[in-house]
Amino acid sequence: MTDAELAYRYRGPSVLRRAEAGSELLLATSGGVTEAGPALRPYFFSGFLTDPAAAATGMLACAAVARSSYYTPGSVVALLRDPVVTSHADRLRFESFSSCCGVHARLDLLPEAFTDPPVAAGTTNVDFNDAMRAALAGAAVSGPLLLSVGSDEVVVDVAGGSNTERRVPLPARWVKGFGEVQALARQMQPVGELAGTAALRFIRSIPRSARRPLWASPANGTFSLTTTPGPQAACIAGPHRLTELGPLLRFARRLRVYAPPADAAATEAPSAWELDLGTARFTLTLSPEKYRGFSGEGALLGLLADEDAAADADLVAGVLAWESRIDVTDLAASLQIERGRVLAGLSFLAASGRVGYDLADESFFHRELPFGSSLAAMHPRLANARELIASGAVRLVDAAAGAGAAVCAGEIEHRVTFGPPDRCTCPWWGKHRGTRGPCKHVLAARMAARDEVG
Amino acid sequence: MSLNPADLEAAMRRNDVQAVRYLLREATEADRAAGAKALKSFLTGPRRHLPEPVMLAPQQFMDFRASGFQRKPAAIEQQEREEAELNRDYYAWREIAQGLAFRAAQFGLAGGVAAATRLAGEFYDLAHDYDTYRDDADTVAAVLADRRPVWLADFVDRHLQSPGGVAAWPLARALVRLGVIPRPDAPEYTTLMPGSVCRRKRGTDGAWTAQTPAEALLDDPGLLDDEVWRLFTVPDAAFELEKVVTHSWVNGTRVEGQTWADAIAQLSAAGLLDRDRLLDACLDAFNRDFNPNRVGWYADLLQKLEPWLDEVAARSSRYLRLLSSNTRDAVKVAQAELGRLLAAGRLDHRLLLDASAPALRYPQKSIAAAQLKLIGQVAAKDPGLRARSAVTAAAAFGHERQDVQEAALKLIGKLGVPGEPFRTEIRAHVADLAPSLLADAAALGLISIGDANEPEGSSAHGTATSDASSAGVAVVNDLAGLERRITVLPASAAADSRAALELVLAGRVPGPVPTRAAAGATLPAPVTDPDELVQLLTVLLEDARDAIALERALAGAVRLSSLPTAQRARLVAPLLKRARQFANIYVPFDGSKISSDVALITLAWSGEKLRRGSADRGERSYNPGAYSVDGSGRARTMAGIFSARAWEAAKIIETGRGGVLLAEPETKRGAVTAATLQARIRELAKGSGRPAGDHDRDVALLRLEPGDAGDLWQAWERMAGVRAQALRVSHEQVQTALSFEAVTGMPTGAPIRASRQWHEHMLARIAGQAPRVPACDSWQLLTDLPDPLAQHEVLYGPARYESRHYDAAVAAWSLICPWQPELAAAHLLRPLCDGLVPGLTPATVALESMRHPGHALGPVGHLGLVVGLASAEADTRIAAAQLWSDACLDGRLDPALAAAAIGTGVRGGAVKLSRVADALQHASHAPLPARRIVETVCAAMDGFAPQAPTNLHLLLELAAQLVPRVGAPELPGMVLDLARRRGDTRVATTAAQLARERESAGTELGTAAALALAAHVSRAEAGEVTGAG
């Protein structure tokens, strides 16, 4: 798997201009997709923000996540990617993904956040350079703030095409994680919520560092922290990764916590921390462990290996039109397929970076990450499983009863036992026990069994 | 070719730097490549012959060591002579290679950026004279400047990012000054500057003198144009600036020199740096996303610049904005300057009030207090803004510290509660107040008296609901149900619960339940399915922390070893590669890594013959306790008991005849019933007839439930070859209640982590003599605790080396002696004490192994709990808080014992109260654990007299916060004495606060009492209450 490179070609740097009447934040855009197709420097929005301080702090938090690596040393900062903006008919979403692939941040500027709606829909990269961020942080944004995403000025590009160009590595695992976090979010459910002051106190009570994952569960008007999982508990691995919530707490009306269903035997799991800022929402999603990015989760591999889901995904993708909330029932009706198939297709698209998931709205939204990458290249385990099948390494055992399979990997024959949960005798399974999705042997066995039945 | 390699080699040989430069100056890249090729063997030098290993007899080594490695044995001297002879050419070449001319020439001939970067990193590998490092860098820069390779800028960036070897910043700066590269963009070009820019020189007396930063900057004025300003925009530059303090030595005395802040201020005063730009750069720096803990230097510089009032006034909006910074230094700077403006009447009061809210909720109390003071000043200066000031101050109700909330209430009281609509705005914040302040709020008319007395569940606590608290409410609602459950208890068990019920009815909280150890829930049937065994081994090879799974796998492997070898080999084949990896790394069955034991069991089960272990142990006289299992298979530490049993099991498996492990746990806490043990003995008699070994027998005895075992002993005698009487007596003796004493201090011997010093420990010694037991050597091993500080190294064994892997070993300890939880806790104190200093330790696992309600907590268990609360790691403290909560709800926690443990730990220097208070905060959400915190704090107080220990106020403050919720027992004399003291020390203030809160009703007191009663009743129903209560 080779890593690609992403070239940001901005017409100029993003800037904050000060004026007597207020400030104007011009966000430069680069690449992406709009309703009309791929665009070089799309223009999405220009309008006044109704709560500039909260929006500006949220954008800065988003940019901070993009520039952070919560596990590797800080020296990688210079290589980091810029946030991504998705424009819908009624809202703007700023998304960023940390360099360590373990933290995803999204700021949703809701319809109430601006005086005029966006002028076009699509997704693009936006420049958050040092000077602009410092200016935005230092600006007295209590006054009016005019935000522009892209420019509607017609500028004839000089030879060379752009005024600023920056190239950054684009590791496949980063792109994969950026997409997968959305699909994982769909598996989460609310754990609890706290009002503004209680949220502030709770977030501040979380230790900055913990060597083992902590679990937060509702307790007497706050969340209590433990080191063991339980029902209604959300995992916090690497609590320092919640740092970016800090500056936003003063605007927070409510904190909602989401996590996949857990019990006393649960293993480390992702969690999402959503601050309701009134006219905006800021959501921070953490990977299950601080040293573990979303890219390694593999929870969706079973789905991605399913060719039916892939076909449904193609079907669904054909009718998406930058909706800020995708109504699954409507979609099922219009496509004349079952709701479950639409959901499978959407999950498939989420893992491919083509839709996002909004926990508060409990719905997918359409956005196309502005980085091209093939699904197979992003999921080496899936490719390896296909390779095992192609090489005839999979032998189903007692196929009629669905007992399992023997999978030859080199000189070792691993035994796969169909579950639930599916089990294997490989060290990878022994280490993770299915918590990071199926191993390549289980995946290959399942695919072979499906082929057998099909 | 214009470059003559022979001339160049000659110049290098005579260390003639100027000649090297001259010869290389005009050379083209092609010339250099050809020269490098021609001189390749000279540049790389002859091969160095490495010495052959020397074999010493043990006594020779001991003598050598005894001489401090000075008196070399003849074999070593001989080897050194041979090595010198073999390396004669190499040493001659090294003399030349150490010369600067040689090293400079290397840069002139380097084949590309990678080679140059490597050379730069290795620059001082052969020559170690750092006195000339600046000159060396200048020389290298000159050679490179003459050459101007296309990769020069890339090379500088790479070397700055990995700056070992030739001085990176001076080299980069020299190249910039020579105009051959642009200023590097790498942040290191800025962060390395503060520590590198000042030239040092050694005087004739050998003492070093260094330039001041100001002198250095004046020496290289170009720095003032660009590099200095980068210090305000590059992350961590301020951190580096703060670290650099130049100094000199005068007559052997260190004299502190100029700081960077002094230098910048001095240059600004001299007009060499734009003062306005400096002020703006400092303020901007606070707004950049720098680490908030690393920007103090900017505040320092601002202070040194002493901004004039006009300058501050011109920047008032920026200072106001800084009030919302998350950087403490920034907020403090802003508060100080805004205070000056306010005093001078040059600040818009409304703007200050509008910007105040973030500072009022800043975590640090002093920041919030200072902001309240500013608001008070605004109100005093501008009576028209009194109402608005009161509304602004109310934002501090959201501060997590009660004293800040109280100060805000006082200010509002002083200003007077305004009328509508301001009153409504203030009332919106009242929900954030601590319950104990609601009465004060009511007194001000902010809420009605009824609201002030509203019990738990008010909107003040957000909307998250709790299983625990809702369960508590349910218990309160069902007090009658508890009464009914008590009436059906057997008379012997009911007395304790009845006494507890009477306390509850009298409005008091019953104490802990006098419990005995319990077996826990029954485990699933033993492993008899080979597939299940293989799955267990698959998992345990990677993660062996599940002690029960480990026991089941061990017993299952023995039981299923009667399967045909070929079948076993086929089944376990996928695991063998991994198992061999482990087996090849670790000494077999040495107790240092449980996964290695699993690997060996796996290999044995596959039919492989294991290598014998005894030869692998070697002489242990150098490191007593280095192995937890000795060469004969005998456990030497608690950690070794499992490995010794695994070794016994492996031997049984190797015979291929199947078998039974007598000690296989039957319940979650590892217990075994007499009936099961007897059945196993019968099964064994029918099968191989051979017990696994002494350790299996020992552990079976330790795990066997107390009480009459019927005719077990005779059956066992026939099998074990030990007299029935000895077995019976042993079983009785291992149930003996042991008495322990806490000991604190530094262990003797080598520290666990060689890089660290020992820290204070709190361990437990057995008081008196533990009974001698005829048929259980493991009991003797476990109870051999007369001086745990002196024995620490021996008892802890391989953890010294393998602490990363020790979780799995420690997780199994409490299962070894389930009926002696205090004994297990005495051993668990060692990993728990590891956690008293930062680092990854098994302390959390040790705490989790005590969480089962059947693990009774006596004095030693409470020592362990308190050591966990005092851990340096947050997650261990939280695990301890969880144990605290669990133990409160199941009745095991005894505040008196917890208080005694805190007192002992604090007096012994092992326990820090700040950490204990932080940990207990995490346990304070539920009513009963909160109540036990208050009781513990009160019980601990008199133990601290007469001298209040450091941070006692934190415990008092926590208790004071909880009392309005859960009430308090009688306050001890020391609290009352402290509360009566005059002065405003924190401990006196918090004691007074606790004394005041004592009058509170305790809104959750009823719930706490009912939960305590429920613990008594549940324990009585399970027959786990002792008569001692």
Side-chain angles (χ1 to χ4, degrees), chain A residues 133 137-139 193 197 201 204 207 211-212 218-222 224-228 413 415 425 427 429 433, chain B residues 287 289 321 361 397-400 405 432 461 463-466 535 571 574-575 807 841 851 873 875 882 925:
Chain A
R133 280 184 291 111
E193 63 178 50
T197 306
R201 290 175 183 167
R204 283 185 184 168
R211 290 182 187 269
R212 297 167 203 254
N220 219 11
T222 181
S224 73
L225 293 175
T226 60
T227 52
T228 50
E413 185 178 82
R415 278 199 310 288
T425 52
W429 190 89
R433 281 162 272 172
Chain B
N287 290 324
D289 43 9
R321 174 68 180 165
R361 291 189 173 192
F397 293 173
H399 200 280
E400 49 265 65
Q405 298 173 15
D432 296 334
H461 298 294
T463 54
T465 55
S466 150
Q535 285 298 336
L571 285 168
L575 311 188
D807 280 3
T841 70
R851 274 188 67 200
E873 293 293 339
D875 53 307
Q882 198 175 349
H925 304 305

